[in-house]
Amino acid sequence: MIIQLPSVRIICPGESLNGQTKQIILKDGFIHRIGDPGDVLAEKVDVRLEGENLHLSPGWLDMRTAAREPGYEHQEDLLSVREAAAAGGFTEIAVLPNTHPVVQSKEAVAYLRSRWPDHAVKVHPIAAVSLEAKGKDLTEMIDLHRAGAVAFSDGVQPVWHSDILLKTLQYLQTFGGLLINRPEDKLLTQYGNMHEGVAATMLGLKGMPALAEEMMVARDLRLLEYTGGKIHFSCISTAGAVQLIREAKARGLAVTCDMAAHQIAFEDMALSEFDTNLKVNPPFRGKADIQALWAGLADGTIDAVVSDHSPLDEESKKLEFDLAEFGIIGLETAFAVLNTHNQALSVSQLIEKLSGNPRKILGLPLPSIREGTLANITIFDPEARWTFTGKDIRSKSANTPFIGAGFRGRVIGIVNNGQILLNAASSSKQRR
Amino acid sequence: MSQLSVKHLLGIKNLTAGDIELILQTADTFKEVLNRPIRKVPSLRDITIANVFFENSTRTRLSFELAQKRLSADVINFSSSSSSVKKGETLLDTVNNILAMKVDMIVMRHSSPGSPHFLAKHIRANIVNAGDGTHEHPTQALLDSFSIREKFGGVAGRRVAIIGDILHSRVALSNIFALQKQGAEVMVCGPVTLLPRYIRELGVKVELDVRKALRWCDVANVLRIQLERQQIKYFPSLREYSLYYGISKAMLDELDKEILLMHPGPINRGVELTSDAADSHHSVILNQVENGVAVRMAVLFLLAQTG
C-alpha cells in the first residue's frame, strides 16, 4: 500500500524538518520518501491524502487512559480503546492500573502487552504503586519495571499515605522509575460531587475544594525535596497547583505534570442542569483556574495534555447526579477540544504536549520522521471544522459532554506498526 | 399573566417573579376555598397524581395529598425510605412504571440534589419537586413567602434571617431565591461549619451571632439541624448548638418589635427553638402548615394548565 501526502506541514519540534511543507510517500507503513511538493516520488499511489492544512507529526502518546480490561470489558477493552485512540490521533497509550485485578503483577503487565500486538496503537502499562491501589503496601516495582511497566501510579486513587509516598519516591530511584500521582486530599473531597464554588452552592451539591488538590501537591513537593527522585502530577486543575509546580520547577525539582484536555472546555457553572456527563474528577473549575491552566501550558509548567479517557456504561451515568460515577471518555476528542479552545499555543507547542513531552516524561523514544523508518505518525488538520456526533465514538462507552459540539481541528489518521488507520470521513472523501 | 412559564416546578431558581406572584395570588383563592363549608373544587377531576417519596416525610406528603384531594385529583402514593437504586431498580425505571399506569403528574421527594431535573429530561409528566436533597424545596419557600405576605402585606423590602443549618438545607436555598426574586433582603445565620463557603456570592448577608440576626430581621425563619443529612461532624454537640444558636421566647420579647418566627418543621423542641418560643404569639408555624395546602393547590392547579 502506497500513500501519498502531496503537501503536508511537518511538526517535529527540535528536528530540521520542523515547520516545513513537504511531500511524503508512505509505503507499507514505512516513510518511503520525503521530497518537495510537486516532485514525482512515486509512480503508483493507492491513497492520496490532500488538504490545505494537512499536518503530520510524530504519533501522539496519551499518558492517561483507562482501558478497563481486564475486569470491566463492558465499558472498554484493549481493542476498543485502541480504536478510540486511533480516531483521536494517538499511536501509543499508557493505561491505568485500576482494572480488576489491579495491575500489580508481572503477569498483568505481560497480559496488557500481549493483547493485539499487530495493532497500530501500542499499549504501555502503568503498574500500581500499592497493592490493590489502596495506598498501604508497596507492589514489586523492580519486577514490574522489568516486565515493561512504564511508570507507577495508583491511577484514579491518589497515593494518600505520606510515608508510602516517601518510600515509593525513594524506592523508584533504584531504577530511575517515575511516580505518577493524582493529587487529591480525599478527606477534603469526601462526598463532593463538583468543584466547590458558588455553582455548587446553588445546586445544593457538596463541593470539592481546589484546596484538596493544592494541599496534596504542596505535600508531595515537600516530600520530593526530602527524598530526591522524580514525580509527575496527573490532571492538574487549579491555579494554585499550577503555581506550586511552577515554583518547584524554578527551584530545580524533578517535577512534571499534565492536565486533561477537557479541563479547559467547561467551567463549574456549566453543571446547572445536573448533566452527569459533566461529572468528572478533577471537577470543572472556575474561569481563573482555566486561565491559569493556559498560562501553565504556555510557559511550560504543564508539560503534557492527557485524554483522561474514563469509559463508563450508561448504568453508571444515567442516574441521579450524586450517584453517577466520575469520568468522561476523552481519546476521540482530546486534540479537537484542546485545539478548539486554544488561547495560547502554536500548533507546534500544542503537539509537543501530545507527542514529545509525554515520551520524555515516560522515558520513551520519540519517533523520527526520516526516510526508511517505520512510520509512527499522526496526520491532522488543525483548521478543519466539524461537529462531533455519536457516530464518531469508537469507545464502547459514550459518556461525553461533547456530542453536538462544534470543533476546530480534526485527526485525519495515524500510521504506526505497519498499520494505517484513517478516520472514515476523510478517507472516504479522499480515497481514489 | 395567567400561566406559569414552566412545565415543572423543579426549583424556585427556574421561576420568574411573575410566576411566584401568580402562584401566591392563586393560593389566595384556594385559601378562601379551604375556609368554605365544602372545601373541595373539581379543578383536577381528570388528573391522576403520584406522590413518590424516597425520603421520610409526614407533613409535606400529607399537605400535598390533601391539596390534591381538595382539587378532586386521583391520588396514588409510593414511598420508600431509601433510593430505589439500592433495591436494584433505577429511579427512572420506578417512575416510568408508575407513569405506565397513566399518571399525569409526579410529586417527588428524593435525597439526591437534581433528581427531579434528571427526571424532567426523560419523562413527559409534570413534575413537582417536594424536596431534592440539599438543593431545593420550592413549595416550602412559596408557602413561607405566602405566610410573610399574609402578615406583612408583602415580601418586598422585608428583612428575613434564615437561621441554622444552612449547608444541608433545601429550605434555605429555595427561600433565598424566592425572597430575592420578590425584593426582600436575606441574611443567613449559623455556625461557620453549617454555612456554605460561597453563600455571600448569592447576595445574602452572613451573621454568626444569632442575637444580632434577630435584631436585624423582621422574619426569623429557623431551620432544623439536619442530622440525617450530615455525613460528617459539623459541630460538637446539640447541647452546645442549642446554647449558642437556640432561640427562646425571652430573646424575641426583649427585641421589642414585631418579629415573625417561622419554622418549616418538624421542630426539635429545645434545640433550635424552646417550646415557649415555638408556641408564642411571634410564631406563625401552624399558619405555615395551613397555608401549605393552599399554596400546593395553586402549584398543582397551575401546572395542570400547562399540560
Side-chain angles (χ1 to χ4, degrees):
Chain A
M1 168 101 117
I2 295 174
I3 300 178
Q4 181 191 26
L5 293 105
S7 174
V8 61
R9 186 157 176 250
I10 296 171
I11 304 295
C12 191
E15 289 196 27
S16 58
L17 281 176
N18 189 29
Q20 296 191 33
T21 300
K22 290 282 175 190
Q23 178 185 177
I24 290 192
I25 305 293
L26 301 165
K27 186 177 178 188
D28 301 329
F30 282 81
I31 298 175
H32 183 58
R33 299 288 304 276
I34 301 177
D36 288 319
D39 288 356
V40 180
L41 300 176
E43 295 298 318
K44 182 178 118 333
V45 169
D46 298 303
V47 177
R48 176 174 294 150
L49 290 176
E50 283 174 301
E52 217 179 300
N53 291 300
L54 223 52
H55 286 58
L56 177 153
S57 73
W60 303 341
L61 186 152
D62 184 39
M63 288 184 68
R64 191 175 175 89
T65 289
R68 299 289 193 236
E69 181 182 347
Y72 308 100
E73 290 87 346
H74 60 295
Q75 298 179 329
E76 197 78 288
D77 63 39
L78 288 164
L79 181 58
S80 63
V81 77
R82 282 177 158 93
E83 283 166 1
F90 295 99
T91 60
E92 299 173 52
I93 53 177
V95 299
L96 295 178
N98 311 92
T99 47
H100 186 71
V102 167
V103 179
Q104 56 190 10
S105 68
K106 59 183 175 188
E107 291 82 1
V109 171
Y111 175 79
L112 291 174
R113 284 162 58 94
S114 70
R115 300 286 283 161
W116 311 105
D118 299 328
H119 199 278
V121 176
K122 183 170 184 176
V123 163
H124 298 285
I126 297 172
V129 166
S130 67
L131 291 176
E132 306 302 331
K134 284 189 173 152
K136 288 191 177 151
D137 302 294
L138 295 180
T139 57
E140 295 175 334
M141 285 183 270
I142 299 174
D143 219 25
L144 288 161
H145 164 67
R146 294 222 168 127
V150 290
F152 295 84
S153 175
D154 280 347
V156 297
Q157 296 297 332
V159 181
W160 54 273
H161 192 300
S162 311
D163 190 49
I164 290 291
L165 187 82
L166 186 149
K167 298 289 194 293
T168 304
L169 286 169
Q170 290 177 325
Y171 197 73
L172 285 174
Q173 292 173 36
T174 319
F175 56 90
L178 176 70
L179 173 73
I180 300 177
N181 204 11
R182 159 72 209 127
E184 178 188 349
D185 184 329
K186 287 272 186 188
L187 286 173
L188 292 177
T189 57
Q190 223 182 168
Y191 306 109
N193 279 293
M194 64 177 288
H195 175 58
E196 183 188 78
V198 69
T201 305
M202 290 176 77
L203 295 175
L205 289 169
K206 196 158 277 189
M208 305 163 82
L211 179 73
E213 179 169 302
E214 291 155 9
M215 293 236 321
M216 196 78 156
V217 169
R219 181 202 73 167
D220 288 9
L221 289 172
R222 190 70 195 85
L223 282 166
L224 182 70
E225 230 159 349
Y226 178 82
T227 57
K230 56 185 177 182
I231 195 167
H232 177 82
F233 292 114
S234 209
C235 295
I236 289 301
S237 67
T238 74
V242 173
Q243 186 55 25
L244 284 164
I245 294 165
R246 182 177 288 129
E247 287 163 11
K249 285 186 168 186
R251 290 204 304 278
L253 284 178
V255 55
T256 50
C257 71
D258 66 57
M259 64 156 222
H262 54 241
Q263 202 72 44
I264 42 82
F266 294 100
E267 289 176 35
D268 58 343
M269 282 294 179
L271 275 79
S272 62
E273 292 302 312
F274 295 96
D275 180 356
T276 57
N277 277 328
L278 294 171
K279 184 170 173 177
V280 64
N281 186 9
F284 293 124
R285 306 223 184 244
K287 194 181 289 265
D289 294 305
I290 293 177
Q291 282 166 354
L293 291 174
W294 280 117
L297 285 166
D299 72 8
T301 302
I302 300 174
D303 304 88
V305 176
V306 299
S307 75
D308 195 22
H309 182 76
S310 308
L312 293 165
D313 51 289
E314 189 178 272
E315 289 71 33
S316 307
K317 278 292 195 184
K318 199 172 172 183
L319 290 173
E320 298 88 313
F321 194 86
D322 56 344
L323 302 178
E325 287 185 40
F326 291 96
I328 290 176
I329 54 167
L331 282 169
E332 292 98 329
T333 53
F335 164 72
V337 168
L338 190 67
N339 193 63
T340 302
H341 292 268
N342 187 7
Q343 299 174 355
L345 307 179
S346 65
V347 176
S348 168
Q349 285 175 311
L350 193 146
I351 296 309
E352 186 123 47
K353 310 283 182 193
L354 294 168
S355 179
N357 287 352
R359 289 188 172 84
K360 274 184 213 152
I361 293 164
L362 293 175
L364 295 169
L366 182 69
S368 61
I369 294 171
R370 254 201 338 261
E371 282 184 3
T373 58
L374 195 59
N376 179 346
I377 56 170
T378 301
I379 304 161
F380 61 102
D381 177 347
E383 296 302 327
R385 306 268 173 176
W386 62 297
T387 302
F388 185 71
T389 70
K391 287 186 187 146
D392 296 307
I393 295 175
R394 296 287 171 274
S395 169
K396 276 190 182 177
S397 297
N399 50 306
T400 169
F402 293 112
I403 289 177
F407 286 142
R408 186 173 67 91
R410 182 161 209 179
V411 171
I412 309 298
I414 62 166
V415 184
N416 187 28
N417 200 15
Q419 306 288 318
I420 300 145
L421 290 176
L422 299 176
N423 277 335
S426 51
S427 58
S428 63
K429 200 165 48 196
Q430 286 161 332
R431 197 180 295 265
R432 304 196 333 157
Chain B
M1 184 174 144
S2 61
Q3 219 179 0
L4 294 177
S5 68
V6 291
K7 187 186 166 215
H8 310 288
L9 180 60
L10 302 179
I12 301 289
K13 194 170 70 193
N14 313 77
L15 297 183
T16 63
D19 289 330
I20 295 175
E21 184 56 31
L22 176 62
I23 293 168
L24 299 186
Q25 278 176 14
T26 310
D28 281 332
T29 313
F30 284 123
K31 182 152 183 183
E32 186 262 316
V33 168
L34 291 174
N35 287 306
R36 288 181 196 166
I38 296 171
R39 292 167 294 194
K40 198 162 175 164
V41 287
S43 315
L44 298 190
R45 215 171 33 200
D46 304 322
I47 303 285
T48 305
I49 305 176
N51 297 311
V52 185
F53 277 64
F54 294 101
E55 257 189 358
N56 289 331
S57 162
T58 312
R59 136 196 13 248
T60 303
R61 198 172 58 75
L62 285 180
S63 180
F64 266 109
E65 192 171 343
L66 211 50
Q68 291 151 2
K69 288 182 169 162
R70 298 287 191 230
L71 291 166
S72 308
D74 293 316
V75 182
I76 55 168
N77 289 302
F78 170 93
S79 39
S80 163
S81 57
S82 67
S83 118
S84 54
V85 78
K86 287 177 192 150
K87 297 185 308 196
E89 189 179 49
T90 66
L91 170 62
L92 204 50
D93 283 339
T94 304
V95 171
N96 273 326
N97 272 281
I98 293 168
L99 292 177
M101 300 180 226
K102 308 290 178 219
V103 166
D104 305 294
M105 212 183 275
I106 295 279
V107 175
M108 183 173 78
R109 169 166 289 190
H110 195 289
S111 59
S112 295
S115 46
H117 306 67
F118 163 70
L119 222 48
K121 276 183 231 160
H122 297 287
I123 68 171
R124 280 168 50 195
N126 302 100
I127 299 165
V128 180
N129 179 3
D132 60 331
T134 49
H135 181 220
E136 284 223 45
H137 189 356
T139 57
Q140 179 70 45
L142 290 166
L143 74 89
D144 288 347
S145 287
F146 187 88
S147 304
I148 295 170
R149 206 177 68 136
E150 195 172 54
K151 289 290 166 187
F152 285 133
V155 175
R158 290 290 160 187
R159 293 174 156 189
V160 182
I162 307 172
I163 299 167
D165 182 358
I166 311 299
L167 188 64
H168 296 94
S169 176
R170 51 194 173 212
V171 176
L173 203 53
S174 283
N175 258 292
I176 291 168
F177 294 142
L179 293 165
Q180 288 182 338
K181 284 181 195 228
Q182 296 172 90
E185 276 188 83
V186 186
M187 171 187 279
V188 295
C189 173
V192 179
T193 51
L194 291 177
L195 300 176
R197 182 175 169 84
Y198 294 90
I199 194 80
R200 273 190 189 85
E201 291 185 35
L202 299 186
V204 302
K205 295 185 191 316
V206 173
E207 177 57 65
L208 305 181
D209 181 336
V210 69
R211 286 170 192 275
K212 284 187 189 158
L214 290 174
R215 277 203 291 280
W216 176 84
C217 70
D218 303 312
V219 178
N221 197 346
V222 183
L223 306 177
R224 201 163 65 87
I225 292 291
Q226 303 280 355
L227 283 178
E228 73 280 10
R229 272 178 233 151
Q230 297 183 1
Q231 293 138 319
I232 40 182
K233 273 276 188 187
Y234 289 89
F235 57 92
S237 67
L238 281 179
R239 178 188 161 274
E240 182 156 297
Y241 181 83
S242 69
L243 274 176
Y244 293 95
Y245 285 93
I247 295 170
S248 67
K249 181 166 182 291
M251 285 161 72
L252 298 172
D253 287 343
E254 76 182 22
L255 295 169
D256 201 26
K257 67 173 182 186
E258 189 182 5
I259 183 166
L260 278 197
L261 180 67
M262 301 174 71
H263 193 295
I267 308 170
N268 295 319
R269 285 179 182 259
V271 181
E272 66 271 9
L273 287 181
T274 60
S275 280
D276 63 357
D279 302 332
S280 71
H281 67 281
H282 304 289
S283 163
V284 292
I285 295 171
L286 290 176
N287 304 59
Q288 288 174 268
V289 178
E290 182 190 345
N291 292 337
V293 179
V295 166
R296 290 181 174 113
M297 285 172 79
V299 166
L300 296 166
F301 173 78
L302 290 167
L303 286 180
Q305 315 302 308
T306 69

